Amino acid sequence: MRTRLLTASDIAKIIRMEDVLEAVEVAFHEHGMGRAIMPPKLYLNLSRFNGDFRAMPAYIQSSAGLKWVSVYPDNPKKGLPTVLAMVIYSDPETGFPLAIMDATELTNYRTGAAGGVAAKYLADPNSKTLGLIGAGVQARTQFLAVTNYFDFSKILIWSPVEEEIEGIKADFKDLPIEKVTIEEVAGCNIVCTTTPVRGFIVKREWIKPGTHINAIGADAAGKQELDPRILKDAKVVVDDITQAKHSGEINIAIKRGLFAESDIYSTLGEIVTGAKRGRTSNEITVFDSTGLAIQDIATARMIFETARREGIGHEFDVIAQHKIRPR
Amino acid sequence: MRTRLLTASDIAKIIRMEDVLEAVEVAFHEHGMGRAIMPPKLYLNLSRFNGDFRAMPAYIQSSAGLKWVSVYPDNPKKGLPTVLAMVIYSDPETGFPLAIMDATELTNYRTGAAGGVAAKYLADPNSKTLGLIGAGVQARTQFLAVTNYFDFSKILIWSPVEEEIEGIKADFKDLPIEKVTIEEVAGCNIVCTTTPVRGFIVKREWIKPGTHINAIGADAAGKQELDPRILKDAKVVVDDITQAKHSGEINIAIKRGLFAESDIYSTLGEIVTGAKRGRTSNEITVFDSTGLAIQDIATARMIFETARREGIGHEFDVIAQHKIRPR
């Protein structure tokens, strides 16, 4: 039995948003059925370096594993991504490590895919305009995911980082992308917020009835992108209640008493399984995404199966032949 | 910047007990000085498969990382080790994964090394007899570690598994190893217990004054090797108070009210730093080892530095060149 190493370039050969969407939708379904096992993320805080690591283990669909992911906001100054991640994908029947894979791209894609699944179930099926607030990597994967389910006539974008907008326009040419004010972006049918801000930048009065919002940026205590009055007026769906309360878009509103756990409508898993209904009227819907270990392990499973089938990667031994004896 | 893969055979080329002892002694020193960061182990329990995984992150001495280790007691029937482990060794300044390494052998060695360091500080320096209760992998690494500090005239061994004793005698030939009763083994100057039993097998009346015991086998709630009266009469040193209470040799005695947290003399780190004195008389000493993430990361650091210096391992890229764009 050998272990498969999948490097960043191996992953790039395999990963496609359609496949990640399918894997992540199944992950939310299993979560909704109560069949996944996912202990809370464990943090290793290295505040002296302005960074942290998170250990994210999960069991889902006869697959087990762990993502080890770091978040260092100063990395771009050093030419490195803020988020770096590896997955160890293990056999749940023996613990054997089936694969070690680069998971930086996997993380980007699975986060996009959660927004795609949320929009599929919660947005107005006739949505014609997509608004992107923030224009970094997460905006790109939201775009790739959401466009699987809707035909947009207009894509509006706003970001405080001018180069990111130019980058998206250059890479996504032939697409009807327009740079406008944040208020105009917020007026779209589907709005994806992907900024790292710590005070809200999207106002209640900008949001029209029937809008669906993917709130992606807030993924740690103290982060917030939306006016709490949007949460109060919307049907709020979270990926996981415990994580959302601690580190999702709702965390600040809860701390300030502007939103309560009982105001959460459901988890996305409950919507996917049909236990709870999605959109029922011309309401505002918000998906609060924090990122779940089950998304990672379900995506790793798809990547591993593809790699094995297509012979991608480098195999190595993890069980030493040498016996412990005196030298 | 590239990531180094170190396979089981790479590790076998590098790992030597003398070096692991040095790394682990420094790890306990840093722990004693309060300079290490080590959140509690996170368990992924897969009871349906009779196994579990543990995520063990740590920061120590400008090194960070995580061990992902599984414990599946039925594995030997399938030709696999009970314990399988991988380490992701990361740069604490950026989160960059510097190395991925097989950590099954590392785990065996660092567990032995903790016993070696404990015996160095706690056992009678004139110890002449070594007793091994249990004869598996952990008995071998205890032997390799403890013999670095003592010259034994006699090594007595007992195990319920006959083949393990024959294996040790074959692999450690030219050494004065004798198979005797468990009572005779317990009469040695230094005694290492490495069995997975759940009810004590070492009786109080067998232990002579001045004995040092490395209690290694108990590493989960419900496990116990020593008569609780030994703990009551001994100077008990633990690797980590929280872990020892939860899953170390003392866990059952504490649960039954036969031993209290206040009966713990100190951590091994406090002994290594000199904050607490080691052996002071002809007393019985017990080291309760549960295994710490800092032992793993300190050992991984030594292995990584050696591999880099000697060019051992296989380097690969973890940062994809491909940008997220529509296909």
Side-chain angles (χ1 to χ4, degrees):
Chain A
M1 220 149 70
R2 309 194 77 201
T3 301
R4 192 175 291 268
L5 173 69
L6 295 167
T7 68
S9 55
D10 295 326
I11 302 292
K13 278 179 218 156
I14 295 169
I15 204 159
R16 297 188 320 147
M17 187 54 86
E18 306 87 284
D19 300 327
V20 180
L21 280 165
E22 195 184 318
V24 166
E25 184 167 346
V26 171
F28 280 112
H29 187 272
E30 292 295 296
H31 187 241
M33 297 299 280
R35 289 195 292 241
I37 303 175
M38 185 174 60
K41 295 181 195 184
L42 176 63
Y43 286 76
L44 178 68
N45 286 310
L46 300 184
S47 43
R48 73 191 76 176
F49 301 115
N50 190 27
D52 69 60
F53 290 85
R54 297 153 199 191
M56 301 172 65
Y59 168 82
I60 183 161
Q61 270 204 306
S62 307
S63 297
L66 161 120
K67 184 166 79 169
W68 177 236
V69 55
S70 53
V71 180
Y72 280 77
D74 299 335
N75 268 4
K77 290 179 215 156
K78 302 174 187 173
L80 287 172
T82 298
V83 173
L84 285 161
M86 300 289 307
V87 159
I88 304 174
Y89 182 74
S90 307
D91 182 346
E93 296 192 18
T94 62
F96 191 86
L98 298 167
I100 311 293
M101 61 182 84
D102 182 81
T104 299
E105 209 70 313
L106 179 159
T107 300
N108 295 332
Y109 273 76
R110 67 79 151 141
T111 305
V117 172
K120 173 181 170 184
Y121 285 92
L122 293 170
D124 182 335
N126 299 313
S127 296
K128 288 291 170 208
T129 54
L130 172 65
L132 301 174
I133 293 176
V137 170
Q138 292 313 325
R140 289 173 180 237
T141 57
Q142 288 295 314
F143 172 87
L144 286 190
V146 173
T147 50
N148 268 268
Y149 304 110
F150 302 90
D151 247 335
F152 295 112
S153 57
K154 219 191 259 181
I155 297 151
L156 303 183
I157 191 162
W158 175 89
S159 165
V161 187
E162 188 63 36
E163 310 85 76
E164 285 184 345
I165 299 181
E166 294 313 314
I168 283 206
K169 285 173 80 173
D171 287 343
F172 291 47
K173 47 183 169 257
D174 313 328
L175 286 170
I177 298 182
E178 278 176 61
K179 178 189 144 188
V180 296
T181 65
I182 183 169
E183 180 171 351
E184 286 173 275
V185 177
C188 289
N189 303 136
I190 298 178
V191 178
C192 303
T193 63
T194 57
T195 67
V197 294
R198 287 177 172 266
F200 71 81
I201 56 174
V202 180
K203 293 190 183 157
R204 171 66 188 90
E205 49 271 30
W206 297 344
I207 304 297
K208 295 178 182 151
T211 302
H212 172 69
I213 303 174
N214 279 337
I216 307 296
D219 65 342
K223 285 178 155 186
Q224 175 191 45
E225 298 182 278
L226 306 181
D227 188 336
R229 288 176 300 155
I230 300 174
L231 300 175
K232 209 59 196 169
D233 292 346
K235 185 181 261 185
V236 174
V237 174
V238 300
D239 53 7
D240 181 82
I241 289 174
T242 310
Q243 281 196 194
K245 276 170 22 190
H246 173 261
S247 56
E249 179 61 39
I250 60 175
N251 86 84
I252 293 182
I254 285 183
K255 206 164 292 156
R256 301 218 173 122
L258 304 170
F259 191 84
E261 179 173 342
S262 55
D263 293 328
I264 297 170
Y265 173 70
S266 74
T267 63
L268 183 54
E270 289 169 314
I271 304 273
V272 171
T273 59
K276 289 275 196 149
R277 293 182 66 190
R279 171 169 297 270
T280 52
S281 69
N282 202 30
E283 64 208 328
I284 298 169
T285 51
V286 171
F287 172 55
D288 181 356
S289 167
T290 60
L292 306 186
I294 53 165
Q295 294 166 241
D296 296 305
I297 302 309
T299 306
R301 173 198 169 92
M302 177 277 289
I303 288 171
F304 173 72
E305 296 297 343
T306 308
R308 188 161 61 172
R309 198 170 55 240
E310 301 183 4
I312 296 171
H314 165 84
E315 286 188 309
F316 65 97
D317 288 318
V318 297
I319 299 178
Q321 297 312 306
H322 111 282
K323 253 199 189 159
I324 293 159
R325 48 165 72 94
R327 302 205 191 200
Chain B
M1 220 149 72
R2 310 193 78 200
T3 301
R4 192 175 290 270
L5 173 69
L6 295 166
T7 67
S9 54
D10 295 327
I11 301 292
K13 277 178 218 156
I14 294 170
I15 205 159
R16 298 189 317 148
M17 186 54 86
E18 306 87 282
D19 300 327
V20 180
L21 280 164
E22 195 184 320
V24 166
E25 183 167 349
V26 171
F28 280 111
H29 187 272
E30 292 294 296
H31 187 243
M33 298 298 283
R35 289 194 294 241
I37 304 176
M38 185 174 61
K41 294 181 194 184
L42 177 63
Y43 286 76
L44 178 68
N45 285 310
L46 300 184
S47 43
R48 72 191 74 178
F49 300 115
N50 190 26
D52 70 60
F53 290 85
R54 298 155 198 190
M56 301 172 67
Y59 168 82
I60 184 163
Q61 270 204 308
S62 307
S63 297
L66 161 121
K67 184 167 80 170
W68 178 237
V69 55
S70 53
V71 180
Y72 280 76
D74 299 336
N75 268 4
K77 290 178 213 155
K78 302 173 186 172
L80 288 171
T82 298
V83 173
L84 285 161
M86 300 289 305
V87 159
I88 304 175
Y89 181 74
S90 306
D91 182 345
E93 297 192 15
T94 63
F96 190 87
L98 297 168
I100 312 294
M101 61 182 82
D102 181 81
T104 300
E105 208 72 312
L106 180 158
T107 299
N108 295 333
Y109 273 76
R110 66 76 151 143
T111 304
V117 172
K120 174 182 170 184
Y121 284 92
L122 294 170
D124 182 334
N126 298 314
S127 296
K128 290 290 170 207
T129 55
L130 173 65
L132 302 174
I133 293 176
V137 171
Q138 292 313 326
R140 289 174 181 236
T141 58
Q142 288 295 315
F143 172 86
L144 285 190
V146 173
T147 50
N148 268 267
Y149 305 110
F150 302 90
D151 247 335
F152 295 112
S153 57
K154 219 191 258 183
I155 298 153
L156 302 184
I157 191 163
W158 175 89
S159 165
V161 189
E162 187 64 35
E163 311 85 76
E164 286 184 344
I165 298 181
E166 295 313 314
I168 283 206
K169 285 174 79 173
D171 287 342
F172 291 47
K173 46 182 170 260
D174 312 326
L175 284 170
I177 299 182
E178 278 176 63
K179 179 187 143 190
V180 296
T181 66
I182 184 169
E183 178 172 350
E184 285 173 274
V185 176
C188 289
N189 304 136
I190 298 178
V191 177
C192 302
T193 63
T194 57
T195 67
V197 294
R198 287 176 173 269
F200 72 82
I201 55 174
V202 180
K203 294 192 185 157
R204 170 66 187 90
E205 49 270 31
W206 298 344
I207 304 297
K208 295 179 182 150
T211 302
H212 171 70
I213 303 174
N214 279 335
I216 307 296
D219 66 342
K223 284 178 154 187
Q224 175 192 43
E225 298 180 279
L226 306 181
D227 187 336
R229 289 177 297 155
I230 299 174
L231 300 174
K232 209 58 196 170
D233 291 347
K235 184 181 262 185
V236 174
V237 173
V238 301
D239 53 7
D240 181 81
I241 289 173
T242 310
Q243 282 196 194
K245 274 168 27 187
H246 173 262
S247 56
E249 178 61 39
I250 60 175
N251 88 85
I252 293 183
I254 285 183
K255 206 164 293 155
R256 302 218 172 122
L258 304 171
F259 191 82
E261 180 174 340
S262 55
D263 292 329
I264 297 171
Y265 174 70
S266 75
T267 64
L268 183 54
E270 289 169 315
I271 304 273
V272 171
T273 61
K276 289 274 196 155
R277 293 182 67 190
R279 170 170 298 269
T280 51
S281 67
N282 202 29
E283 64 208 330
I284 298 170
T285 52
V286 171
F287 172 55
D288 180 356
S289 168
T290 61
L292 306 186
I294 52 165
Q295 293 167 244
D296 296 304
I297 302 309
T299 305
R301 172 199 170 90
M302 176 278 290
I303 288 171
F304 174 71
E305 296 297 344
T306 307
R308 189 160 61 173
R309 197 170 55 239
E310 300 183 4
I312 295 171
H314 166 83
E315 285 188 310
F316 65 97
D317 287 318
V318 297
I319 298 177
Q321 297 310 309
H322 112 282
K323 254 196 189 162
I324 293 158
R325 47 166 73 94
R327 302 205 191 201

